[in-house]
Each structure stands twice: as C-alpha cells, then as structure tokens.
Amino acid sequence: TATRRAALAGSAATLGLFSIGTARAADFTYKFATNLPTSHPLNVRLQEAFDRIKAETNGALVINLFPNNQLGSDTDVLQQLRTGAVEFFTLSGIILSTFIPTASISGIGFALPDYDTVWKAMDGPLGALIRAEIAKQPIVAFEKIYDNGFRHLTTSTKPINSPDDLKGVKMRVPVSPLWTSMFRGFGASPISINGAELYSALQTKVADGQENPLVAIWVTKIFEVQKYLALSGHMWDGYWPLANKRAWNALPKDMQAIAAKHINQGAVDQRADLAALGGSTRKDLEAAGIVFNEVDKAAFRDRLREAGFYKEWRGRYGEQNWKVLEQAAGSEL
Ligand code: X2X
C-alpha cells in the first residue's frame, strides 16, 4: 500500500539502506509511460536506463516501462502524471503546453534550423527556461530532453509541393494550440487527435494527412495508410522525461541522483541513435511505397509570417521568452 511504501521510504531514506550491496525487495515501484512502440530508440534507451537504475540501487528503485499508450492517450496520461497516478511520463513539450504554455516554444515553426542549434538550445538557455516553467507545477523535468525529430508532412491524397497544396487538407495534428495555429497558418484544416488514435484516423480518412519525424512514421506504421512525404522539417520536436513531483520527492536524494544520471544519459545515447539511423529510415519508407519530395521551406515559413503566426506567438510567450528563442535560433523570427 501507499502508506507502507511511504514508511519504507522513510526508513530507507534515514538509513540509506538501498546503498547496501545486497539484492532486496523494491522500496519503490514506479510506472513510466510513453506513447511510442517498444522498438523506438526512446523506449530502448529508457529501458536500458531503468535496468541500470535497478542494478545501481540494488533493486530498491524499480521503474516499469508502459510504452505505446498502454496507460492511455497523451491527454489522459498527462492528467495521471499531474495527480501522481503515473509517476513518470515522457511527452512532447508542444503537447505539454496544454498545461504549461511556455513548453511549446521550442516547436515554433522553422525556428531551430538544425540539430547543432537544437541541442545547444535545449541543453542551454531555452531548455532551462522551459524546465523552470515546468518546475512551477507538480511536475519535474529531467535535464536532457530526448529526440523525436524534425517533423515532415505526409498525405494519402496528393503530394504537398507548396503551401498552396495544403489548402483545406484535413491534417491531423497532436492536441496543442501551437499545432492548430501553425496548420491554420499554412491554410490547412487541422484536426487535433492524440497519437493513440492517429493510425485509425488516417485509415478511416477522418484525416488525409499528418506530420511526424521519419522514425516515428516508421515505428507507428503510419506509412501503411499514407502515400506521400514532403520533407518540410517544419519544426523540431522532443520528449521531456517528466516525473510527478511528489513521487520524485519521496525518493531519497542519492536514489534521485542515480535515476537522473541514467535517464539523462539515456537521452544523450538516444539522440545519437536517431542520428545514426540517418538515411536508412528514408530508404525503409521508400521501400514500403512512400513517395518523397523536397519542398522550398522558405515558402512555408513565409506563409506562416503572412498569416501572422510569429506575431501571435511572440505575444503569447512574451517579449522576454521570445528573445531567448531568437537567441537560441540565431536569427530574428
Ligand atoms: O503524436 C505524435 O504525433 C507524436 C508521436 O509525434 C508525438 O508524441 C508528438
């Protein structure tokens, strides 16, 4: 029971029991939810981190992975994380913004142009800004964000070569005001749908298109229900590893240090995994029948500018936060 666990936690904290080098029953058994299938490097590296945490705490901290929306949709699990019904979750900062508005700032269209810029920003001032906002809520973010990737457009109906081709297209977007605003800006008809329902939404033509990074498109099998892929790279997206604050604070300090060390290391390794996949995912998708095309990114960016997208979000985040974004991006937006 929770009471017994709390009592055990108290004694373990006082006596530092878990650091004694004998295997023993877990003092803490926590759940970690993700929305991606097991094969995604995000889950592979998290599982590796949990194995290392269990070993280094001599079995005192056991974290069980629940991948692939097993515990519910993103909207549901975010709610569970807030109450502590789920102790850990990893979520796109852009979706997290439904609760913590500033968390979507790293996903502003065409702001962070490449991975060098992304990691400098997210391991630097922009990431620190977002984590500080998260820390005001009953949630803690780990220091290193995992990679989802640069997002690209897919459709079942016709290729997207220019912003005009997006006009009126029913595009599934994750549940987040930034995504809706951005795809309205492109002139599309965005529909907010959780990732858990994405495949069936495309299959039943509730939506004709969607946008995701290549590796996510591969592991979720979205390619089975889409035909065309435009390499828009319209935004970068990452997964913040998050803990419920009360569950996190119940852990003894040295146990927290072990958990944070391995979960952060997992992010560094997972970023390298995605980079190493490089062009091979494109080849896999092409072999599965997806037709790729390049687009003029500047045309899409101009469309957002004409729609007042940057002006609107500058106002929503505030001047000070926008300056941090522009500094991270290395350009005025
Ligand atoms: O739902 C999506 O599109 C996904 C899997 O990329 C996110 O979690 C943002």
Side-chain angles (χ1 to χ4, degrees):
T1 66
T3 327
R4 181 154 175 279
R5 256 198 298 169
L8 278 171
S11 65
T14 320
L15 302 173
L17 278 182
F18 85 86
S19 57
I20 293 172
T22 48
R24 47 202 292 273
D27 292 332
F28 300 92
T29 304
Y30 280 180
K31 295 189 278 292
F32 196 121
T34 82
N35 66 8
L36 288 169
T38 324
S39 59
H40 193 281
L42 174 95
N43 287 314
V44 174
R45 290 300 184 177
L46 283 172
Q47 185 57 60
E48 183 179 67
F50 304 158
D51 293 343
R52 290 172 174 170
I53 291 165
K54 185 177 174 188
E56 205 176 324
T57 63
N58 299 304
L61 176 55
V62 171
I63 305 176
N64 292 315
L65 182 65
F66 292 84
N68 211 15
N69 299 297
Q70 276 175 27
L71 300 183
S73 70
D74 288 338
T75 305
D76 293 340
V77 180
L78 178 56
Q79 185 56 32
Q80 294 172 47
L81 180 77
R82 289 169 66 170
T83 64
V86 166
E87 291 88 0
F88 294 105
F89 183 31
T90 187
L91 183 65
S92 160
I94 306 165
I95 301 176
L96 181 62
S97 74
T98 55
F99 178 39
I100 299 161
T102 310
S104 63
I105 193 167
S106 50
I108 284 290
F110 304 102
L112 305 175
D114 52 46
Y115 272 115
D116 279 350
T117 313
V118 164
W119 301 134
K120 244 179 89 191
M122 300 312 286
D123 293 338
L126 192 65
L129 168 78
I130 296 167
R131 286 200 311 282
E133 288 299 315
I134 296 171
K136 293 176 185 167
Q137 300 299 336
I139 296 180
V140 184
F142 290 87
E143 253 170 79
K144 299 274 180 190
I145 190 167
Y146 284 63
D147 191 18
N148 190 6
F150 282 91
R151 300 179 74 96
H152 305 292
L153 308 166
T154 72
T155 39
S156 58
T157 42
K158 60 173 186 187
I160 305 298
N161 289 300
S162 74
D164 285 341
D165 294 330
L166 269 180
K167 202 172 161 56
V169 176
K170 288 185 291 174
M171 290 292 290
R172 173 272 176 174
V173 292
V175 181
S176 168
L178 178 64
W179 257 301
T180 315
S181 155
M182 201 160 141
F183 277 79
R184 282 217 190 94
F186 285 139
S189 300
I191 315 166
S192 299
I193 297 173
N194 275 301
E197 284 92 47
L198 172 54
Y199 186 98
S200 68
L202 296 170
Q203 193 173 35
T204 60
K205 309 277 179 175
V206 167
D208 292 323
Q210 65 88 46
E211 43 82 63
N212 248 301
L214 297 189
V215 176
I217 291 168
W218 178 251
V219 299
T220 58
K221 302 195 189 299
I222 287 168
F223 61 85
E224 294 177 351
V225 286
Q226 296 284 273
K227 182 66 188 168
Y228 303 101
L229 193 151
L231 286 164
S232 54
H234 51 275
M235 70 213 287
W236 174 80
D237 186 24
Y239 279 92
W240 284 111
L242 305 166
N244 171 272
K245 200 177 267 177
R246 199 161 7 91
W248 180 249
N249 287 340
L251 303 178
K253 285 274 174 281
D254 42 0
M255 200 184 275
Q256 286 181 350
I258 291 169
K261 176 180 72 178
H262 292 300
I263 290 171
N264 286 327
Q265 184 59 46
V268 173
D269 295 337
Q270 187 262 1
R271 296 172 185 180
D273 292 342
L274 284 195
L277 281 173
S280 74
T281 308
R282 173 173 180 166
K283 290 198 186 75
D284 291 336
L285 288 168
E286 283 173 334
I290 295 289
V291 179
F292 279 65
N293 67 278
E294 306 279 339
V295 297
D296 174 16
K297 294 182 185 186
F300 286 82
R301 186 173 174 156
D302 290 349
R303 187 59 58 94
L304 289 183
R305 184 162 290 123
E306 289 156 19
F309 171 81
Y310 295 102
K311 192 161 171 275
E312 178 193 342
W313 286 91
R314 181 183 196 126
R316 287 172 82 150
Y317 296 124
E319 258 339 283
Q320 215 178 330
N321 291 342
W322 194 259
K323 281 275 164 316
V324 178
L325 175 63
E326 286 189 329
Q327 215 143 59
S331 65
E332 282 182 22
L333 295 170

